[in-house]
Amino acid sequence: MRIPKSLIPAAALITAIGLVATHGVSSAANPGITPPVAENPSFAPGSTMQKIQDRGHLRIGTRYDHPGLSAGNLRGQQEGFEIDLGEYIAGKLGLRADQIQYVEASSANREQFLAQDKVDLVMATYSITDKRKKVVSFAGPYAAISLDMVALRGNPAGIQDPQTPRGTRVCSTTGGQVSATIREEFPQTDLIEFDVSSKCIDALKNGTVDALATHGPIGAGYVSKDTEELEMVGRPFYQDNWAIGISKGDTGFCQWLGRTLQQASDDGSYSRAWDASLGRYSKQPMILPEPQQCS
Amino acid sequence: MSAVINNLPVLLAGFGTSLALILVSAAIALLLGVALAGMRVSPVPLLQTAATCYVECLRTVPTAVIFFFALFGLPQMGVRIGFFPAAVAALSVYYAAFFCEAVRSGINSVPTGQAEAARSIGLEFRGALRFVVLPQALRSVIPPLLNVFVALTKSSAIASAFGVAELLASTTALVTIESDAVIPILLACSAFYLVITIPAGLLAERLEKKVAVAR
Amino acid sequence: MTTTPARPATPATTRPAPVTSSVLFDSPGPRGRRRIRNGAVAAGTVLALIIASALFQLGRNGVLDAERWAVLLNRDLARLLLHGLWSTLQVALVAMVLSVAGALLLVAARLSDRSPLRGAAKIWIELFRGLPLLVLIFMIFLGAPAIGIDVPTFWALVIGITLYNSAVICEIFRAGIQSLPKGQAEAAYAIGLRKIETQRVVLLPQAINAMLPALVAQVVIILKETSLGFVIGYTELLREGRVAVEYLGSTYAIPVYVAVAALYLLVNLAISRMARRLEGRLTH
């Protein structure tokens, strides 16, 4: 243990990592689609679109832990289906992808973020419900999905739905639509909640819970990362819609977002974004649902 | 203030979980730590080296890293235990290294002359330890052990980020619901921790002074 | 896994010789040597068994496959880890400087002649030494927005670490000052220095010299504490590791976390060796 040698291991390791950083193999990042950026689009004075354009960046509240929908990649960027749609919207506002600021939103704080004007819009697997409509407005929806469950590979517990077999410990997120639905439709369920879905996945692996109840695409994203340990139960049990959350009563912004989503669908960006992300695992095409009335 | 009183059951439940986590982990860590300290002063070089490596490696790594290993490493080894046992495992394995050093410093604080005298009246290694060194070491070992216990208590809060519904976890959950009573709830949570850490810390200080006077 | 050489490390203590194992037993004779050898063999077998069974379990679950560890040759992962290490070091440096500054203020209050100030400092130190760092970080991260101040994650982390460590370092200073011979302060007063000058010119420089090893050792502790940033989403080393694992899938959890742990381990070992070296230099 002679002293001058003490610095060698640390220096050697950092140098090794540095060498890998410059000469290592590149990872297959999945940039998704690169939507066009509109040249100086013009909007009605005083509209939210105008405000965002003048500010020069768009603030999106989203998840950081939904693979294929919205999650960080190794290059320190966000990627996934929701991110691609967000970039498409930014492009229509004349903003590049690097002019988007992402803020991590959880099931429990999405309404707060919109009320406190911390974000311009929320794209974070946000289901439309009557209760939420009282505090936020929804644009879209941009995806129609159903609920399903993720279990350990081979479904050792023989799970059919959240309360069958009896005593199945089901995990979902605090304050989310999935928990509310399960409480209503499957009152016998033994429900355990965490703030984010990724903790449910940890709980599933370490034996704390038997299944994660979630929206199909979210589950598919987790399973795609971990086919050795996880699988989808594959018994959809509830229909739902994801929409873009915006501040309550901003009808102009809501209608503009609806039109923008329709454009994305018409010019093929919508289905390209799906095919480049979750579509690779789910084998089902995603079609833009019928728009809802802005309120 | 009313938010704190209304949610007191939630905080108390969290505090109960915290206490269980702290006490179980401290007990296991202390046992492991004493075993490690025994290895470090034993005449067998292999044991010395193994224990030294263990202590050196763990003391330089953040507690949270050990939590990640307990959470992801164990399932990969086919061990499926819940969040609470995984947190106990992480805290015990981590603080064993610190308890080991506390015990060793206690043994080291006994003047050499004591051991030499014990040897000179013909006591063996075991006898010298048992009748002369350890009884004296025990007195001076309690303050450092208490300090490690305080550190463990504070580290137990990290379990909140690893799925254990302990005090800090229930606090952060409450904060999201009661967004207009954030400060009182955080203060209440702090009070619970201070109830453990301040008395233990002061006791350690008092005992330290006492031992110093006794010498 | 480890950087310690095969021969046992002797603890670098500088106090008058403590009880070391060598005092507790004679140099072993033939029978003793045999006993030690048997003990060593038995202990070695037990250790080897524990390690082997862990490796067997890992191997059976494919954790030792070369393909999994090849992920460490990924350019983007390496960049992510280096970026994380850099962020970690940034927090640690800023927090260390601020902690020392805060500790100087506290130690001045702690040793002042005004008893209310002394009492206030004592209470302050007890409070911030007694709270979990994670609670302090949440206080700033969640509590500040509640009173209308928005604190970025970097500063929430730095301020939390500073509140805690300034209290700890203050006690290090105080112990250092009080360990100086009384004559130092008396001589300073004798040549007509006022209290503040005595502290600044005579006592502190000597105390800092005596305390330097403890201060350097505190850097290791601060570096470890920065890892709590992952809880509030500050992208330091551990958080980058977690992001990588979530992106790559948990199949790669163990290789990635081993790399993260190795970074902390080697950087901190280097720092604590430096602290020991200082200790060797300063105590004659």
Side-chain angles (χ1 to χ4, degrees):
Chain A
M1 282 216 198
R2 293 253 299 288
I3 301 303
K5 291 183 186 163
S6 65
L7 294 179
I8 293 173
L13 180 68
I14 292 172
T15 313
I17 297 179
L19 281 173
V20 174
T22 47
H23 299 83
V25 263
S26 198
S27 66
N30 179 27
I33 57 166
T34 22
V37 178
E39 292 281 329
N40 260 332
S42 61
F43 301 106
S47 66
T48 309
M49 295 76 84
Q50 175 74 41
K51 270 188 225 142
I52 296 169
Q53 194 188 5
D54 289 350
R55 195 200 300 136
H57 62 261
L58 171 67
R59 301 166 310 167
I60 300 183
T62 190
R63 305 300 190 120
Y64 284 17
D65 66 333
H66 284 169
L69 282 164
S70 166
N73 66 13
L74 287 187
R75 297 185 178 173
Q77 311 145 324
Q78 290 287 107
E79 66 174 45
F81 181 59
E82 288 178 331
I83 301 300
D84 284 350
L85 290 183
E87 286 178 0
Y88 187 90
I89 291 166
K92 290 287 177 200
L93 289 163
L95 301 172
R96 297 183 311 273
D98 62 345
Q99 291 172 297
I100 303 178
Q101 268 184 17
Y102 293 105
V103 183
E104 183 169 19
S106 75
S107 298
N109 65 17
R110 289 174 296 205
E111 289 86 8
Q112 279 179 28
F113 277 5
L114 286 168
Q116 295 165 353
D117 194 33
K118 279 191 176 165
V119 294
D120 299 313
L121 51 92
V122 167
M123 293 184 78
T125 63
Y126 207 11
S127 319
I128 303 177
T129 68
D130 289 335
K131 193 177 154 205
R132 286 175 184 162
K133 275 185 178 172
K134 293 192 177 90
V135 279
V136 299
S137 289
F138 286 103
Y142 59 85
I145 65 272
S146 52
L147 298 194
D148 201 341
M149 304 218 276
V150 179
L152 286 174
R153 194 170 167 186
N155 195 353
I159 296 160
Q160 291 168 23
D161 67 44
Q163 55 187 31
T164 323
R166 210 33 98 64
T168 303
R169 292 163 305 167
V170 177
C171 191
S172 98
T173 51
T174 318
Q177 176 55 19
V178 183
S179 296
T181 307
I182 288 181
R183 284 205 177 89
E184 213 162 286
E185 311 273 323
F186 302 98
Q188 310 281 340
T189 306
D190 182 3
L191 195 61
I192 294 160
E193 292 177 304
F194 289 106
D195 52 343
V196 288
S197 317
S198 45
K199 276 189 191 163
C200 284
I201 294 289
D202 299 341
L204 181 58
K205 286 181 186 168
N206 74 18
T208 304
V209 301
D210 304 308
L212 154 67
T214 184
H215 296 107
I218 299 177
Y222 286 125
V223 173
S224 73
K225 294 280 176 201
D226 214 338
T227 45
E228 285 180 21
E229 271 200 277
L230 307 174
E231 69 172 43
M232 295 297 289
V233 170
R235 293 165 178 265
F237 58 83
Y238 187 84
Q239 292 300 314
D240 216 342
N241 278 313
W242 284 337
I244 305 175
I246 55 174
S247 79
K248 178 75 188 144
D250 193 346
T251 321
F253 192 32
C254 174
Q255 283 163 347
W256 180 84
L257 284 170
R259 283 199 300 275
T260 306
L261 286 172
Q262 193 55 56
Q263 282 170 331
S265 176
D266 295 342
D267 68 19
S269 304
Y270 179 90
S271 52
R272 272 202 304 278
W274 177 254
D275 293 342
S277 57
L278 275 180
R280 292 189 298 169
Y281 317 107
S282 76
K283 307 281 181 281
Q284 287 170 359
M286 179 64 83
I287 298 149
L288 186 72
E290 280 300 302
Q292 296 200 2
Q293 193 61 42
C294 283
S295 56
Chain B
M1 202 61 227
S2 63
V4 172
I5 291 161
N6 293 341
N7 292 306
L8 210 51
V10 181
L11 288 173
L12 277 172
F15 184 57
T17 309
S18 276
L19 271 183
L21 179 64
I22 292 161
L23 294 176
V24 175
S25 308
I28 299 173
L30 185 59
L31 285 176
L32 282 174
V34 169
L36 282 168
M39 283 164 74
R40 284 196 74 167
V41 298
S42 78
V44 183
L46 178 83
L47 292 184
Q48 285 178 8
T49 313
T52 308
C53 284
Y54 181 93
V55 169
E56 287 271 317
C57 285
L58 279 158
R59 280 185 1 168
T60 49
V61 172
T63 326
V65 173
I66 308 295
F67 269 94
F68 273 115
F69 275 113
L71 204 63
F72 297 102
L74 290 175
Q76 299 229 321
M77 290 165 67
V79 184
R80 293 200 197 282
I81 51 175
F83 285 114
F84 186 87
V88 167
L91 283 172
S92 308
V93 161
Y94 190 70
Y95 277 93
F98 290 85
F99 274 128
C100 163
E101 290 307 273
V103 170
R104 230 168 46 96
S105 76
I107 293 178
N108 282 344
S109 70
V110 179
T112 321
Q114 298 285 336
E116 283 168 348
R119 302 278 301 134
S120 68
I121 58 170
L123 285 173
E124 285 272 316
F125 170 69
R126 247 170 300 176
L129 262 186
R130 195 176 136 200
F131 296 114
V132 180
V133 178
L134 281 186
Q136 299 188 65
L138 207 59
R139 229 185 320 166
S140 52
V141 90
I142 292 194
L145 285 185
L146 273 173
N147 287 332
V148 175
F149 174 76
V150 169
L152 187 150
T153 302
K154 291 190 288 188
S155 282
S156 73
I158 298 174
S160 65
F162 294 90
V164 180
E166 48 71 84
L167 181 52
L168 184 57
S170 21
T171 305
T172 43
L174 278 180
V175 165
T176 2
I177 304 165
E178 304 270 358
S179 50
D180 43 3
V182 174
I183 308 275
I185 290 173
L186 281 169
L187 289 177
C189 161
S190 308
F192 276 118
Y193 280 111
L194 292 172
V195 160
I196 306 176
T197 55
I198 288 188
L202 290 177
L203 183 65
E205 245 171 66
R206 286 264 309 271
L207 288 174
E208 233 164 318
K209 282 198 182 111
K210 241 180 158 165
V211 171
V213 170
R215 280 271 146 76
Chain C
M1 186 64 219
T2 165
T3 58
T4 337
R7 64 201 167 80
T10 45
T13 44
T14 48
R15 281 166 304 186
V19 172
T20 47
S21 30
S22 56
V23 179
L24 291 169
F25 36 84
D26 301 325
S27 345
R31 197 197 306 170
R33 266 207 295 275
R34 208 170 325 132
R35 268 230 305 267
I36 289 178
R37 202 175 44 231
N38 292 345
V41 168
T45 315
V46 171
L47 282 178
L49 273 177
I50 293 175
I51 292 168
S53 65
L55 286 178
F56 174 74
Q57 275 293 357
L58 288 171
R60 219 183 51 176
N61 289 286
V63 178
L64 303 177
D65 298 356
E67 179 270 328
R68 286 202 194 186
W69 291 82
V71 77
L72 296 179
L73 296 175
N74 180 318
R75 169 189 305 206
D76 297 312
L77 177 64
R79 284 181 190 166
L80 206 65
L81 292 182
L82 284 181
H83 174 263
L85 181 65
W86 174 231
S87 308
T88 287
L89 292 173
Q90 276 176 309
V91 173
L93 280 173
V94 176
M96 186 70 200
V97 171
L98 290 179
S99 298
V100 169
L104 287 174
L105 287 177
L106 280 174
V107 89
R110 202 76 173 77
L111 300 172
S112 87
D113 294 335
R114 299 188 186 81
S115 75
L117 198 57
R118 274 211 307 273
K122 172 96 179 125
I123 290 171
W124 173 276
I125 288 167
E126 284 300 332
L127 278 182
F128 288 107
R129 273 201 319 184
L131 282 175
L133 183 55
L134 205 48
V135 172
L136 286 177
I137 292 170
F138 271 125
M139 281 243 179
I140 294 145
F141 187 64
L142 299 173
I147 52 172
I149 310 164
D150 221 359
V151 184
T153 50
F154 173 87
W155 286 106
L157 193 57
V158 166
I159 294 167
I161 294 176
T162 302
L163 282 174
Y164 172 72
N165 279 285
S166 53
V168 174
I169 294 173
C170 165
E171 292 302 282
I172 294 179
F173 280 158
R174 201 171 58 96
I177 287 175
Q178 288 177 338
S179 72
L180 293 175
K182 237 178 133 176
Q184 295 287 339
E186 284 166 355
Y189 290 136
I191 59 170
L193 293 179
R194 278 197 308 263
K195 184 176 166 97
I196 186 105
E197 291 168 326
T198 304
Q199 292 283 9
R200 208 175 44 111
V201 182
V202 180
L203 299 182
L204 258 182
Q206 298 188 64
I208 286 196
N209 232 358
M211 285 297 113
L212 211 50
L215 277 182
V216 177
Q218 202 63 30
V219 177
V220 171
I221 294 171
I222 288 184
L223 262 174
K224 289 198 298 180
E225 286 168 347
T226 56
S227 66
L228 294 182
F230 90 93
V231 181
I232 55 169
Y234 177 71
T235 49
E236 42 63 70
L237 181 51
L238 190 56
R239 171 92 182 186
E240 297 287 35
R242 167 94 209 197
V243 166
V245 168
E246 279 184 355
Y247 183 78
L248 294 162
S250 67
T251 335
Y252 299 100
I254 290 188
V256 172
Y257 287 129
V258 163
V260 168
L263 270 170
Y264 279 115
L265 185 88
L266 295 182
V267 169
N268 281 335
L269 272 180
I271 294 172
S272 55
R273 294 277 150 76
M274 277 189 337
R276 266 184 219 166
R277 193 173 162 193
L278 278 172
E279 209 164 4
R281 281 228 188 117
L282 294 170
T283 44
H284 296 297

